[in-house]
Amino acid sequence: MLARISGVVLLILGVVILGLGIQLATEEGSLFYLFMAAGLLLSGYLITRRRRSGLAVYAVLLLATLVWSLWEIGLDKWQFIPRGALLAVLGLWLTLPFVARRTRDARKSTEASPLWRGSHGLLAATMALLIVFTIGISFYDPFPQKGELPPAQVATAAPAVPGTPAPPADDWVAYGGNNLGQRYSALKDIDLNSVKKLKLAWEYHTGDTRDPKVDAKEYTFEATPLKVNGMLYLCTPHNRIVALDPATGKERWRFDPVVPADAMLQHQTCRGVSYHDDQATASAGHAAAAPVATRADALATPATATSAMTAPAAPSASVVNTAASADCSRRIIAATTDARLFALDANTGKLCEGFGDKGYINLLEGMPNIKKSSYMQTSPPTVTRDLAIVGGSIIDNAYVDNPSGVTRAYDVRTGQIVWKFDAAKPNENKPLAPGETYVANSPTSWTIFAADEALGLVYVPLGNKSPDQLGVNRTPEDEIYTDTIVALDLATGAPRWHFQTSHHDLWDRDNPSQPSLLDLTVGGAQVPAMVLPTKGGNLFVLDRRTGKPVLPVEEVNVSTITDIPGEKPSPTQPVSSVNFIPPVLKESDMWGTTPIDQLMCRITFKQHRYDGNPWTPPTIAGSLVYPGNIGVFNWGSVAVDPVRQVMIGMPVRLSYLYNFVERPDYKDNPDTRMVTKPDTPKFNENFGARFAVNIQNFRSKLGLPCQAPPWGTMAAVDLNTGKTVWTRRNGTVKDQNTSFLPFPFPIPLPMGIVSHGGMLMTAGGVSFAGATLDNYLRAYNVSTGEEVWKARLPAGGQATPMTYRGANGKQYVVIAAGGHGSIGTTPGDSVLAYTLED
């Protein structure tokens, strides 16, 4: 009976693979699955007849599959899983004596023929070979690139930008550590020798968790705290501001701006707050009207989200620390997802009544096309030269008629608007006159800015004009600032220069990353540079004075063929000599856990257009876009060491399927839903346009990526030469949710998983990152990428860690762990601090 049941299983598997194999063959895909199906059917038939020759046929199938796999994918152990794991398990079952004894040789009438000879012996030998082979390749990984970054040539204190006082290493005064966006600390108590002694010092719970009945699905705790003024300041997804004691995690004060719940928001998040110190400004000797940056200046801008449009009548502050100082001489500046900018006394948490209207500015004032959940703030303002500078975020691809993407600068003390920059009218920088509105649907900047106060410039990463994937209605003027980094004059808001990172964007390639500013030694000369990571995988290294490339950039030819009427894709796209553009996908790169789901992925791959580069135009018929709209780099950006002049980042490799869905009656019924359900967010509907766009992760029926791992990596670059020195897989598949398990995957297979967050680098030669989907905070050797420490987090660490020195003299590393709703990591409300054991 066991033999017959085993044979039936092989027959069923053979029939399924035969059907899928025929379909793949009609798509001009691999023919090997037809051979695999034939082997399964023949061996299954013979074994159901209790013929031991079926075991020999199965052994031949296993050997052929091994040879074919080596030919297709070499020695990549993770790619053997869909090709051979299921077949090997079945082969092991058939090898077991109590199964094999149920079969017999054709010339024997009894079941007592010698078991370990003939067909069964061949199968047993084949399984022994596969076991030895599996053990052998388990010690080999073709992906990582080993190397070692150059050592520091000077002291480990971070060099200051000329004319800008360097912030003390003990503090973390802005989102990226400082307004340069480096995510670097000169602290070095935690080094390669001491890092293994890190322990949890304290854990704080914000109490801000998602209510699934009223809150957005993408509820994320992405905050990076500030440490300044003797306190730790952070914000929660509902934009509540909390001040903590840096050494104990004890709450000093809390403020709630009372942001109404909104399930239609695209992003319910707050990445950080900013800080301003009047006394530090005065001590720097700058005029009140236009002081240069101080050590207390903070950095950031808005991100992607939407919100309710009515401001609450009664915000509340629960003040624990009532230490008095001059009213709001030190202040926290923050923004909300319902589009308000507000200022708090940094000592007490009370509203600064002289800022705007009793502490608030309504960022919807002057905005056109306001609809509920269409405009929001998710990133902190950039505070510099007594200005609070904010961008804005609109819901992705919901409407053709959107609010403006204007960037605005407000007086940090009074809240009075000082200047504006609107990419649709780049040279009209004065505040609006009464009755005027900003230009609708101009390119937005939702992420964090960087600033060089010595040059008098703020660097604003701009995105696309919505709809992201349709360019038929864009004017030549629109195209100038789409997907650019623009340098604005801090005094006036006038553009000094701009550099375009993607031409005629059809893929949602907005610039999501905060630029990192540092001085590089290139060709023997010191150059004030900027590192700009992009969704497409480029790392543009530019002269931040002029926007000219420091390391080479070339224009490559790409296809302009499309099935969208009136669409004109750009014939070229820029590629930096420093890039992490993913390698070209092939059919053999399709992945899965079994031959069945891998076959389905292969079929889907063959059915979609893919030009072998990141610029395959989305089509009605369907296109594979790689990398997809999550990008290679996102808001987590990269970390740079200004002393060693090196960079570490976490490039992501995920592909997506795009296809347009026509709205035939769009002129008469512009709001007909085509890709979303009623009472859900209107992402990608493009209401008012002829086409909606359907965007899906390229995943198998089991919920796993269709492309082979790694999906998440880590890499280091010597910025003086542009050379990638080392790469590694980043993270494990532990904690992943799949459709074939009722619980998160429990085994930490180090395949390299997606990361969503940022990195921290320190003078101690140690870098820190959470970000991966497996709920860990890890420490790495900066020079080699070797993992040197890790700690289990109670929730997803989709944030950027920071570090500081407490009043007790200890160095702390802090990360927010609250998960990410859209990528399914464990939710929570924790802020965790680690320090060295005494």
Side-chain angles (χ1 to χ4, degrees), residues 200-216:
L200 182 66
W202 53 259
E203 181 176 359
Y204 171 79
H205 292 278
T206 68
D208 190 345
T209 56
R210 179 175 182 260
D211 182 344
K213 295 180 181 179
V214 295
D215 285 325

Side-chain angles (χ1 to χ4, degrees), residues 723-778:
K723 179 183 177 182
T724 298
V725 177
W726 56 255
T727 58
R728 57 166 291 141
R729 297 178 189 262
N730 190 28
T732 74
V733 297
K734 183 180 173 68
D735 302 320
Q736 299 310 290
N737 294 308
T738 63
S739 59
F740 61 90
L741 288 176
F743 47 81
F745 194 77
I747 305 173
L749 300 176
M751 295 182 182
I753 197 65
V754 173
S755 59
H756 210 54
M759 294 200 69
L760 161 68
M761 292 178 72
T762 71
V766 181
S767 61
F768 293 88
T772 53
L773 310 189
D774 58 354
N775 299 352
Y776 283 98
L777 173 65
R778 293 180 170 90

Side-chain angles (χ1 to χ4, degrees), residues 384-605:
T384 178
R385 281 200 178 182
D386 286 350
L387 298 175
I389 308 172
V390 296
S393 176
I394 62 171
I395 185 172
D396 275 349
N397 306 315
Y399 305 96
V400 169
D401 298 322
N402 288 296
S404 176
V406 64
T407 296
R408 291 166 281 184
Y410 294 89
D411 187 291
V412 77
R413 298 183 181 87
T414 67
Q416 182 178 357
I417 189 167
V418 177
W419 53 256
K420 71 178 189 299
F421 170 79
D422 195 321
K425 294 182 177 180
N427 298 312
E428 297 182 16
N429 306 115
K430 293 182 179 180
L432 292 176
E436 290 183 333
T437 60
Y438 301 108
V439 180
N441 205 34
S442 51
T444 63
S445 181
W446 56 262
T447 190
I448 301 100
F449 306 159
D452 184 335
E453 290 86 352
L455 292 176
L457 297 176
V458 60
Y459 303 96
V460 179
L462 287 168
N464 203 350
K465 175 179 178 178
S466 189
D468 288 321
Q469 291 80 23
L470 283 170
V472 293
N473 294 323
R474 296 179 202 158
T475 67
E477 292 74 22
D478 292 332
E479 298 284 13
I480 293 174
Y481 283 98
T482 292
D483 289 0
T484 64
I485 179 75
V486 58
L488 303 179
D489 188 293
L490 276 172
T492 66
R496 293 267 195 92
W497 60 258
H498 66 275
F499 178 89
Q500 190 164 62
T501 59
S502 178
H503 306 325
H504 195 70
D505 180 7
L506 301 175
W507 311 273
D508 190 8
R509 295 273 163 79
D510 49 357
N511 289 307
S513 299
Q514 180 187 25
S516 296
L517 314 183
L518 75 165
D519 291 349
L520 299 177
T521 304
V522 179
Q526 190 175 38
V527 179
M530 164 196 295
V531 178
L532 181 67
T534 69
K535 282 188 176 181
N538 282 303
L539 281 164
F540 292 106
V541 183
L542 310 175
D543 187 321
R544 64 178 183 269
R545 299 167 298 186
T546 64
K548 302 297 183 182
V550 173
L551 297 176
V553 175
E554 66 171 331
E555 293 286 328
V556 299
N557 295 323
V558 298
S559 173
T560 59
I561 298 173
T562 178
D563 58 5
I564 301 299
E567 189 62 87
K568 296 179 180 179
S570 172
T572 66
Q573 292 291 342
V575 174
S576 172
S577 60
V578 187
N579 72 76
F580 291 92
I581 295 173
V584 175
L585 279 181
K586 308 180 294 296
E587 182 198 330
S588 58
D589 293 319
M590 297 303 102
W591 201 71
T593 56
T594 70
I596 296 174
D597 51 320
Q598 188 195 40
L599 260 168
M600 292 178 178
C601 289
R602 284 181 181 249
I603 292 168
T604 303
F605 176 81

Side-chain angles (χ1 to χ4, degrees), residues 784-837:
T784 65
E786 176 191 3
E787 183 182 307
V788 293
W789 173 87
K790 67 179 177 182
R792 184 75 168 153
L793 298 174
Q798 279 67 61
T800 302
M802 49 81 73
T803 188
Y804 59 88
R805 190 182 303 283
N808 56 7
K810 293 184 176 182
Q811 182 183 353
Y812 292 82
V813 175
V814 171
I815 188 169
H820 194 291
S822 291
I823 56 181
T825 50
T826 307
D829 67 340
S830 294
V831 181
L832 302 106
Y834 298 86
T835 193
L836 296 173
E837 293 178 333

Side-chain angles (χ1 to χ4, degrees), residues 10 13 40 47 55 58-59 61-62 84-97 99-100 120 122-128 130-131:
L10 296 181
L13 182 60
L40 287 167
I47 291 172
L55 303 182
Y58 198 84
L61 172 61
L62 288 175
L86 177 60
L87 297 183
V89 169
L90 292 174
L92 187 62
W93 168 258
L94 294 174
T95 309
L96 296 175
V99 178
H120 182 259
L122 177 61
L123 180 58
T126 300
M127 290 307 306
L130 291 179
I131 291 170

Side-chain angles (χ1 to χ4, degrees), residues 206-523:
T206 68
D208 190 345
T209 56
R210 179 175 182 260
D211 182 344
K213 295 180 181 179
V214 295
D215 285 325
K217 177 182 178 181
E218 188 168 300
Y219 188 95
T220 67
F221 193 15
E222 297 176 351
T224 298
L226 304 187
K227 191 270 183 174
V228 68
N229 190 38
M231 284 188 254
L232 207 62
Y233 301 99
L234 61 103
C235 58
T236 72
H238 280 108
N239 302 112
R240 297 163 191 165
I241 313 301
V242 179
L244 305 177
D245 184 292
T248 66
K250 181 179 179 181
E251 185 176 300
R252 295 278 190 86
W253 57 255
R254 167 187 293 252
F255 177 83
D256 188 354
V258 190
V259 176
D262 186 356
M264 297 297 106
L265 277 175
Q266 184 171 7
H267 313 281
Q268 188 165 336
T269 192
C270 180
R271 295 191 178 94
V273 301
S274 298
Y275 177 80
H276 183 267
D277 186 341
D278 285 350
Q279 296 175 357
T281 301
S283 67
H286 305 303
V292 179
T294 75
R295 69 174 179 83
D297 287 341
L299 151 66
T301 99
T304 337
T306 39
S307 59
M309 295 302 164
T310 56
S316 62
S318 173
V319 179
V320 176
N321 173 26
T322 57
S325 64
D327 179 44
C328 289
S329 64
R330 296 173 179 174
R331 60 184 62 198
I332 296 297
I333 309 294
T336 65
T337 52
D338 63 348
R340 289 175 289 155
L341 187 69
F342 63 98
L344 304 175
D345 188 298
N347 288 330
T348 67
K350 293 180 179 180
L351 278 169
C352 298
E353 297 284 340
F355 182 82
D357 182 7
K358 297 182 179 180
Y360 289 98
I361 294 171
N362 178 12
L363 295 174
L364 298 179
E365 186 175 346
M367 273 289 168
N369 299 331
I370 290 298
K371 306 175 184 68
K372 189 177 185 298
S373 311
S374 66
Y375 184 85
M376 60 218 146
Q377 299 285 335
T378 59
S379 292
T382 296
V383 173
T384 178
R385 281 200 178 182
D386 286 350
L387 298 175
I389 308 172
V390 296
S393 176
I394 62 171
I395 185 172
D396 275 349
N397 306 315
Y399 305 96
V400 169
D401 298 322
N402 288 296
S404 176
V406 64
T407 296
R408 291 166 281 184
Y410 294 89
D411 187 291
V412 77
R413 298 183 181 87
T414 67
Q416 182 178 357
I417 189 167
V418 177
W419 53 256
K420 71 178 189 299
F421 170 79
D422 195 321
K425 294 182 177 180
N427 298 312
E428 297 182 16
N429 306 115
K430 293 182 179 180
L432 292 176
E436 290 183 333
T437 60
Y438 301 108
V439 180
N441 205 34
S442 51
T444 63
S445 181
W446 56 262
T447 190
I448 301 100
F449 306 159
D452 184 335
E453 290 86 352
L455 292 176
L457 297 176
V458 60
Y459 303 96
V460 179
L462 287 168
N464 203 350
K465 175 179 178 178
S466 189
D468 288 321
Q469 291 80 23
L470 283 170
V472 293
N473 294 323
R474 296 179 202 158
T475 67
E477 292 74 22
D478 292 332
E479 298 284 13
I480 293 174
Y481 283 98
T482 292
D483 289 0
T484 64
I485 179 75
V486 58
L488 303 179
D489 188 293
L490 276 172
T492 66
R496 293 267 195 92
W497 60 258
H498 66 275
F499 178 89
Q500 190 164 62
T501 59
S502 178
H503 306 325
H504 195 70
D505 180 7
L506 301 175
W507 311 273
D508 190 8
R509 295 273 163 79
D510 49 357
N511 289 307
S513 299
Q514 180 187 25
S516 296
L517 314 183
L518 75 165
D519 291 349
L520 299 177
T521 304
V522 179

